[in-house]
Amino acid sequence: MNLRLELTRFLSLGYVLSSSFMFWMGLSLFTDCHSPIVVVLSGSMEPAFQRGDILFLWNRNEKNNVGDVVVYEVAGKSIPIVHRVLKQHYDRSTGEQLLLTKGDNNNGDDVPLYARGNYYLNKTKDVVGTVKGYIPQLGYVTIWISENKYAKFGLLGLLALSSLISSED
Amino acid sequence: MFSLNQRFQHVSSLALSCSFLVIALIAATSWLQLVKDNVFELESQLSHIRSATRFAKQKRYGGSAVNPTEVSKIRFNADFDFSRLFNWNTKQVFAYVTAEYEGDENPHTMNEITIWDKIIPSRDNATFTLSDIDAKYQLWDLESKITERPLTFKLHWNIQPWFGFLINGETTGSKTIELKKPVDKQKGK
């Protein structure tokens, strides 16, 4: 057991963690969006987006156009929703914008998903970001890990095993 | 010196950066192809737009028993060819017709409402000659009136890529009309 070696290892671990945290926060600042990269969790936008697709968001736009795909969060519901803007009403004097959204694969619009008594979303309050970029399927790993307990333990086991192996050389 | 672990890390990081390079190339070349095909000035024809307007008292339409909202159903003809939007990086094209208009009681508002949309999955089905079709969505405003002001109808498109950026555009053929006042007896109160 070499104390210096262990400390160096600890330091490099800290370096990896802090640099990924800084990357995420930097991206978050740059896009003005609290989660600039999201994974699609539902099939309501098929065939455009499937479960597991990765989306890159941008939130520095003042207003959205009809046809934009936005990610929004409804107060009191934890899961963000990715749907397309169907209607928009923008007030140039106050800068406020009301949006109505709909999933491409759904029959009706999103009013039943909104907070009780709301018939529109508020751009500044509810919208997390507008989808700008797309990579298919790569995010399925995160869904798999979060929904399958064997995958979770398997991954932990693999990590433990690799740390054992690497400490031998 | 070179453990299995190191080799694995090296290979996987190389594979990752190569695949990202390929993705970037695909996205960039498909964008260039779109510019070359001049898709940002695609033509379309919207014609014979007509409407039937009723009064709605439901809260969903922003209406009430005392002050019902005008809700219009549209029928229209459309003629367009979106096959040039398809290349090696096009997964689907989302075509949609919107109505754009300024506010009346509140002149600061700008509004845009989808009345019809269509998911086009392949180049083979990208040419449309629609005559006398029903709009998918009804038209109503935050204000109680939608008729008797100029509405600009326009056909837009949105390319969903296999990799990279979502691209939006609109076609050149737009049509501005005013919807007719409802010939109605039961305008509340």
Side-chain angles (χ1 to χ4, degrees):
Chain A
M1 177 96 169
N2 184 338
L3 185 62
R4 183 176 287 268
L5 191 72
E6 293 300 315
L7 281 177
T8 320
R9 199 168 275 162
F10 182 72
L11 201 66
S12 67
L13 184 72
Y15 175 72
V16 168
L17 285 180
S18 62
S19 63
S20 53
F21 181 72
M22 272 174 70
F23 172 76
W24 181 254
M25 284 327 238
L27 202 65
S28 186
L29 269 176
F30 177 64
T31 57
D32 192 22
C33 179
H34 67 72
S35 55
I37 301 174
V38 296
V39 174
V40 178
L41 295 174
S42 85
S44 62
M45 280 297 281
E46 281 191 35
F49 304 140
Q50 270 111 9
R51 259 166 74 83
D53 292 349
I54 291 183
L55 306 176
F56 296 88
L57 308 185
W58 178 254
N59 197 32
R60 289 208 175 268
N61 51 346
E62 191 190 340
K63 65 189 192 77
N64 276 110
N65 295 316
V66 168
D68 284 350
V69 182
V70 297
V71 175
Y72 66 88
E73 267 172 352
V74 175
K77 292 179 189 171
S78 56
I79 299 171
I81 298 169
V82 188
H83 280 173
R84 200 183 292 274
V85 176
L86 195 68
K87 297 173 78 167
Q88 68 90 1
H89 301 280
Y90 178 65
D91 192 324
R92 274 169 292 195
S93 58
T94 60
E96 284 225 338
Q97 189 180 32
L98 298 178
L99 303 172
L100 179 68
T101 53
K102 175 182 174 286
D104 288 359
N105 198 24
N106 292 352
N107 284 322
D109 60 34
D110 285 355
V111 171
L113 300 176
Y114 297 164
R116 248 187 118 74
N118 282 21
Y119 293 92
Y120 293 94
L121 291 175
N122 186 310
K123 159 80 176 101
T124 32
K125 267 193 273 177
D126 301 323
V127 172
V128 177
T130 308
V131 178
K132 292 289 176 191
Y134 170 85
I135 292 178
Q137 292 304 310
L138 221 58
Y140 211 89
V141 188
T142 61
I143 294 183
W144 189 60
I145 290 170
S146 65
E147 288 182 0
N148 187 332
K149 61 179 178 191
Y150 297 110
K152 213 177 287 180
F153 291 130
L155 198 79
L156 277 175
L158 211 71
L159 279 177
L161 206 71
S162 78
S163 75
L164 273 177
I165 289 170
S166 67
S167 61
E168 273 166 15
D169 60 336
Chain B
M1 185 77 191
F2 294 107
S3 68
L4 198 64
N5 203 357
Q6 271 172 315
R7 277 172 206 275
F8 174 73
Q9 272 176 19
H10 188 72
V11 167
S12 61
S13 79
L14 190 70
L16 202 68
S17 37
C18 280
S19 51
F20 269 96
L21 193 74
V22 170
I23 288 173
L25 248 145
I26 290 172
T29 50
S30 71
W31 166 263
L32 287 176
Q33 179 67 36
L34 289 177
V35 172
K36 185 177 154 255
D37 284 343
N38 207 14
V39 297
F40 296 97
E41 278 160 31
L42 273 181
E43 281 174 28
S44 71
Q45 286 273 317
L46 289 176
S47 58
H48 213 80
I49 300 168
R50 52 227 175 274
S51 65
T53 306
R54 65 188 171 96
F55 289 103
K57 293 172 182 169
Q58 290 93 327
K59 257 181 125 178
R60 187 178 194 344
Y61 302 108
S64 63
V66 187
N67 189 16
T69 312
E70 288 182 356
V71 178
S72 294
K73 265 188 172 163
I74 311 284
R75 288 172 86 79
F76 65 100
N77 294 5
D79 211 333
F80 59 95
D81 180 2
F82 276 175
S83 48
R84 271 195 281 164
L85 296 178
F86 284 87
N87 59 33
W88 54 90
N89 196 23
T90 306
K91 185 177 181 187
Q92 72 161 41
V93 170
F94 186 78
Y96 55 105
V97 176
T98 65
E100 255 181 83
Y101 58 93
E102 308 257 316
D104 190 25
E105 286 162 41
N106 178 0
H108 297 295
T109 56
M110 277 168 59
N111 313 281
E112 194 173 14
I113 296 178
T114 309
I115 60 161
W116 179 85
D117 59 26
K118 180 89 187 158
I119 295 168
I120 309 173
S122 76
R123 186 192 300 241
D124 308 328
N125 305 316
T127 314
F128 286 82
T129 310
L130 308 167
S131 76
D132 203 32
I133 57 158
D134 276 316
K136 271 170 82 174
Y137 311 106
Q138 307 185 73
L139 205 55
W140 74 93
D141 190 31
L142 296 177
E143 299 172 11
S144 58
K145 262 184 82 155
I146 185 85
T147 58
E148 294 184 300
R149 47 175 150 162
L151 308 182
T152 303
F153 291 87
K154 212 181 266 178
L155 175 69
H156 303 249
W157 50 263
N158 169 255
I159 294 179
Q160 168 61 40
W162 289 107
F163 293 107
F165 297 102
L166 276 73
I167 302 166
N168 289 296
E170 56 184 49
T171 59
T172 54
S174 69
K175 192 114 192 177
T176 305
I177 61 162
E178 285 189 15
L179 302 185
K180 268 191 280 172
K181 210 167 97 179
V183 275
D184 210 66
K185 330 94 202 178
Q186 40 56 279
K187 156 106 192 164
K189 56 190 158 141

